[in-house]
Amino acid sequence: MNIAHLVSARRNPKGWHWTDIAAYAYLLLGVVLMFGPVLWLVLSSFKTQASLLEFPPSLLPLSQKEVVVTGYPQPLPLFTVTMEDGTKRELAQVRRIGIQAQMIDPANPSQQFRVPIDKRTPVRQFSLATENYSEPLQRFAFPRFLANSVFVTVVATLITLLINSMAAYALSIYEFKGKNAAMLMVIGTLMIPITIILVPVYLVVTKLGLVNSLWAVILPGAATPTGVFLLRQYMLTLPRDLIEAARMDKASEWQIYWRIVMPLTLPALAVLTIFSIMWRWNEFLWPLAVLTKTESYTLQIGLNAFQGELQTQWQYLLAMTVMTLTPVALVFVFLQRFITTGIANTGMK
Amino acid sequence: MTLTSKTSPATSPAPAASLAPSGGTNPVLKLVTRVLDWPMAGLQRLIGERRMPYVFLLPNLVFFGLFVFVPIAINFVYSVTGGPALFPSERPYVGAGQYSYLFDCGSYVDPNTCREDHFWRGVYNTLFFSFFQVVAMVGLSLLTAVVLNMKIRGRGFFRAVYFFPVLLSPVVVALIWKWILQRDGLLNAAIMGLGGDRTLFLAEPGWAMFWVIFVSVWAHMGFYTLILLAGLQAIPTDIYEAAEMDATPRWRVFWRLTLPLLWPNLIVVIVLSLIRAVQTFDEVFVLTGGGPGTSTLMVVQYIYETAFSNQVQNFGLAAAASVVLGIVLFALTLAQLAFTQRKSS
């Protein structure tokens, strides 16, 4: 039960209150504003270079229809022509001379027409310029960036899960000297974003000899205070008897952690996994600072570098952007409910 | 900001007696389990059960130490030393020199009178950006959360719609909007279709700042909406039922009941979005590069460029600026902790 229902139920048991209509209107506007731009990007990424330059832009990826006519080696562009007598015909253009176009009927190539260019409009058809996608994969370092991003995301997430769950286990199951100090250290780091310690982290990474290595991206963010917190809060709810029983069975502390606590913590681990994947896949500032060689770029850095170079080649840039957002979009489609409840419950990002 | 676990983790308790390797039949996990069990058991025999928590804590603390605590210490060293050297031992001590250089202004209201005018432009831009971004963010996410909390068909879908952009990377977000806002972009086509004039949205200072704020709200709104929605759903319904019995007008119910009860969540949203706004870099950097001119240059971009991309890399100055930024963020975080403490007590 909520306010809307209560109020509308009182005033008008079956009909619609104006606020309901306003709410739906707002939500529909929201759909257009939130999904629209992404959809527009995806549609645009399938347009040919020529149709990307069109203004005003067409909604769907359209391209001019071409026909193969016997006697002509190249396919010829097809136009709808308004003839002198007012009839309309579909003609193929052979060449254009000034304001006149030399055209032929594809069905009857021997007959030629001279048509003023303002009397013809291109015949357009729906077509997907998939070369926008295949060409960057062949010509640019895009696959390299993709591989780097995948490596960083997977390895960093595994390390994060392991070391954060170990710390969370120690902080939730045991009482030991220095526990409070350790907790305080973890809390302390919550409020320190990489942005304000950019330079010294860079120094540490340099000292470790990791500049331009993907490990320089993976390691600094591996221990996340949010991760430790999330897992610790979850582990605190596990029944102690289980751990005591395992100890009686002479299980080592590691076995208790790895074989009993970890499997039971799976729901929290799953949430942290999703977050870690999101963080790592989207990370920008730190990789930008520490990766300077093109072959070590991650997708985000590569994409940013491309947008400087490829201003005039939007067709590649758009396609690469779509490829970059696809994995998160897929994660979202499959795990949407999980992600949203995870965030609502933890308030973290 | 803690996980209030709704699902009981003990629904499928593993029998403690049978220590089956986790991962079930997965051979890799089985192998990892076997390989790790033996040395860790040996270690426990060596140092004793009571010292095992330190073993579990160690890797995490090494990472924290190496990449957070040591850097914080070095950052202070940087900020009081000068010169181009990267290693602190090779840098001459300059005392508060970097700070006084940073704060050397004829008048603090006018960045033109400052030696480090870009820093001050960054400060003012960040303040302007943060204020309007937070106002818009809180207002819109509150409105959206209230609407999503109504009895709406397809609520899950709409919730997902607003949340989706949160997942996109800042680079992708910036490129989407750059594509729409460009000279021959969708927005200009729409405006000209309606009889308006073409506007170079990202080349005019006022418009660039507007769009930077807009895009930032667009990208992160769903996150705060979700926090507020969780808060709204936690409000007990009998309060509303009582209000209904008294025939309280709806706006008054919202003003007198919903808003006060939602206040703790609103505080979280305000402070979190403020902390994030002060740190803004990614989207703005890709969308406008801080331009046109310096009209959308943020403090973090100033730090990044001073340290990494200028001709002369000035680590000392960048570190001093980041200490200043750190103090601001620290104050904001303390404020949030104070508010959330009050909430929980």
Side-chain angles (χ1 to χ4, degrees):
Chain A
M1 287 283 232
N2 54 45
I3 338 167
H5 177 75
L6 288 168
V7 177
S8 60
R10 188 182 67 223
R11 286 186 187 151
N12 192 355
K14 288 201 181 80
W16 281 46
H17 190 248
W18 67 268
T19 48
D20 295 324
I21 297 162
Y24 277 105
Y26 177 78
L27 290 175
L28 285 178
L29 180 74
V31 173
V32 173
L33 264 179
M34 300 318 254
F35 270 163
V38 183
L39 194 68
W40 177 243
L41 177 87
V42 175
L43 283 175
S44 302
S45 75
F46 284 104
K47 288 180 178 174
T48 58
Q49 196 171 8
S51 59
L52 278 178
L53 293 174
E54 263 174 40
F55 187 84
S58 62
L59 191 62
L60 291 172
L62 299 171
S63 65
Q64 186 162 21
K65 204 169 176 176
E66 293 182 326
V67 280
V68 181
V69 184
T70 46
Y72 294 91
Q74 299 285 327
L76 301 175
L78 204 62
F79 289 87
T80 309
V81 178
T82 316
M83 305 301 284
E84 277 167 22
D85 55 359
T87 56
K88 290 197 174 186
R89 292 182 69 171
E90 277 195 3
L91 298 178
Q93 175 176 295
V94 179
R95 66 178 68 84
R96 188 185 142 183
I97 310 140
I99 56 159
Q100 295 279 314
Q102 208 179 80
M103 309 192 89
I104 53 165
D105 187 346
N108 182 13
S110 58
Q111 197 187 359
Q112 293 217 351
F113 302 89
R114 290 186 142 260
V115 181
I117 53 167
D118 57 344
K119 294 285 184 208
R120 37 157 232 178
T121 47
V123 176
R124 309 218 296 172
Q125 62 178 359
F126 180 79
S127 83
L128 299 176
T130 47
E131 65 271 16
N132 293 349
Y133 286 83
S134 53
E135 279 170 17
L137 285 174
Q138 290 153 11
R139 284 176 36 193
F140 309 120
F142 189 83
R144 185 67 200 257
F145 302 159
L146 189 70
N148 287 344
S149 265
V150 170
F151 180 77
V152 166
T153 306
V154 171
V155 175
T157 300
L158 287 177
I159 296 179
T160 298
L161 287 177
L162 181 70
I163 64 173
N164 284 0
S165 67
M166 283 170 70
Y169 175 67
L171 292 174
S172 61
I173 305 294
Y174 298 102
E175 288 303 326
F176 58 92
K177 213 175 166 187
K179 183 178 175 177
N180 286 336
M183 281 296 288
L184 213 66
M185 279 167 93
V186 177
I187 296 174
T189 57
L190 256 177
M191 53 183 111
I192 295 150
I194 189 105
T195 40
I196 64 167
I197 48 170
L198 206 58
V199 181
V201 176
Y202 183 78
L203 170 72
V204 170
V205 163
T206 311
K207 273 265 190 196
L208 295 172
L210 294 175
V211 168
N212 273 318
S213 143
L214 291 177
W215 292 102
V217 181
I218 293 170
L219 298 179
T224 68
T226 23
V228 175
F229 265 119
L230 178 74
L231 296 177
R232 178 176 173 269
Q233 293 301 112
Y234 198 86
M235 286 176 183
L236 282 176
T237 64
L238 297 178
R240 292 304 163 95
D241 313 355
L242 213 59
I243 292 154
E244 288 308 317
R247 276 205 188 111
M248 305 257 266
D249 286 343
K250 297 219 166 60
S252 73
E253 297 306 306
W254 176 265
Q255 280 177 320
I256 296 171
Y257 156 73
W258 187 258
R259 296 189 181 200
I260 295 170
V261 174
M262 281 293 264
L264 291 176
T265 316
L266 275 181
L269 287 169
V271 173
L272 182 61
T273 306
I274 296 168
F275 280 124
S276 175
I277 290 173
M278 256 164 62
W279 291 330
R280 293 324 189 108
W281 188 262
N282 294 340
E283 203 175 9
F284 183 66
L285 176 58
W286 173 241
L288 186 68
V290 84
L291 303 175
T292 54
K293 288 206 178 105
T294 317
E295 60 265 30
S296 60
Y297 278 4
T298 57
L299 260 187
Q300 311 295 341
I301 308 301
L303 202 56
N304 180 56
F306 270 140
Q307 68 111 13
E309 293 164 18
L310 295 183
Q311 283 292 14
T312 50
Q313 289 176 296
W314 269 104
Q315 79 272 26
Y316 296 136
L317 189 58
L318 293 175
M320 287 188 281
T321 310
V322 172
M323 281 192 267
T324 307
L325 75 81
T326 306
V328 266
L330 287 179
V331 167
F332 177 69
V333 168
F334 291 111
L335 303 172
Q336 183 262 119
R337 191 156 300 181
F338 216 40
I339 298 171
T340 47
T341 42
I343 287 182
N345 285 341
T346 57
M348 68 187 244
K349 194 205 169 187
Chain B
M1 284 211 303
T2 50
L3 177 83
T4 46
S5 149
K6 281 171 188 158
T7 49
S8 163
T11 43
S12 60
S18 68
L19 291 174
S22 41
T25 52
N26 187 329
V28 180
L29 267 181
K30 238 175 184 168
L31 187 73
V32 172
T33 306
R34 290 252 163 76
V35 169
L36 281 175
D37 271 357
W38 186 74
M40 293 308 278
L43 187 65
Q44 186 180 334
R45 239 171 281 131
L46 200 70
I47 63 170
E49 191 192 307
R50 311 194 65 192
R51 292 202 188 91
M52 279 308 279
Y54 300 107
V55 175
F56 284 105
L57 212 51
L58 190 68
N60 217 45
L61 288 186
V62 167
F63 276 76
F64 274 141
L66 215 49
F67 298 111
V68 179
F69 295 115
V70 171
I72 289 172
I74 300 174
N75 209 32
F76 281 109
V77 176
Y78 268 129
S79 71
V80 293
T81 55
L86 179 62
F87 296 106
S89 54
E90 299 158 18
R91 300 171 60 86
Y93 179 74
V94 296
Q98 304 285 12
Y99 292 97
S100 58
Y101 186 76
L102 215 51
F103 282 88
D104 185 5
C105 283
S107 152
Y108 287 113
V109 198
D110 180 9
N112 287 323
T113 61
C114 297
R115 296 263 299 270
E116 238 357 60
D117 61 326
H118 276 40
F119 172 74
W120 288 96
R121 273 178 215 287
V123 168
Y124 291 125
N125 284 341
T126 307
L127 284 176
F128 185 89
F129 171 87
S130 303
F131 179 77
F132 286 100
Q133 198 243 33
V134 169
V135 168
M137 189 81 89
V138 173
L140 282 172
S141 45
L142 179 62
L143 174 65
T144 312
V146 168
V147 170
L148 284 176
N149 198 39
M150 290 169 71
K151 209 170 192 176
I152 294 283
R153 268 173 217 275
R155 208 158 64 168
F157 168 75
F158 287 116
R159 195 171 72 167
V161 165
Y162 283 94
F163 183 75
F164 178 66
V166 175
L167 297 175
L168 301 177
S169 79
V171 183
V172 166
V173 167
L175 286 175
I176 288 174
W177 284 99
K178 213 171 178 173
W179 174 236
I180 289 172
L181 298 173
Q182 57 149 340
R183 191 178 175 279
D184 291 333
L186 188 63
L187 191 67
N188 266 325
I191 287 174
M192 290 171 79
L194 295 170
D197 287 332
R198 194 196 293 273
T199 315
L200 296 176
F201 292 110
L202 298 177
E204 286 179 20
W207 274 115
M209 185 49 108
F210 169 83
W211 284 109
V212 159
I213 294 170
F214 177 92
V215 169
S216 173
V217 172
W218 181 84
H220 302 294
M221 200 185 106
F223 174 70
Y224 301 107
T225 301
L226 219 55
I227 295 181
L228 293 179
L229 191 60
L232 282 175
Q233 287 175 349
I235 297 176
T237 50
D238 45 352
I239 295 179
Y240 290 122
E241 281 160 25
E244 187 211 10
M245 303 264 271
D246 298 342
T248 318
R250 196 162 169 177
W251 59 271
R252 202 172 196 171
V253 172
F254 179 77
W255 204 244
R256 289 282 168 81
L257 284 178
T258 310
L259 220 48
L261 287 169
L262 197 62
W263 193 239
N265 293 67
L266 272 173
I267 289 286
V268 168
V269 167
I270 291 170
V271 182
L272 269 187
S273 63
L274 196 57
I275 290 175
R276 283 252 299 263
V278 172
Q279 292 177 51
T280 288
F281 168 75
D282 307 2
E283 282 122 336
V284 181
F285 183 70
V286 182
L287 192 64
T288 67
T294 51
S295 57
T296 55
L297 179 88
M298 301 291 163
V299 172
V300 176
Q301 188 180 340
Y302 168 83
I303 294 172
Y304 166 73
E305 282 176 351
T306 307
F308 291 105
S309 78
N310 281 356
Q311 294 285 312
V312 184
Q313 300 193 330
N314 196 336
F315 292 136
L317 203 58
S322 60
V323 168
V324 174
L325 179 63
I327 291 168
V328 173
L329 290 174
F330 184 72
L332 288 175
T333 314
L334 281 187
Q336 191 207 346
L337 282 179
F339 280 120
T340 38
Q341 290 277 298
R342 198 187 298 168
K343 170 192 163 190
S344 57
S345 66

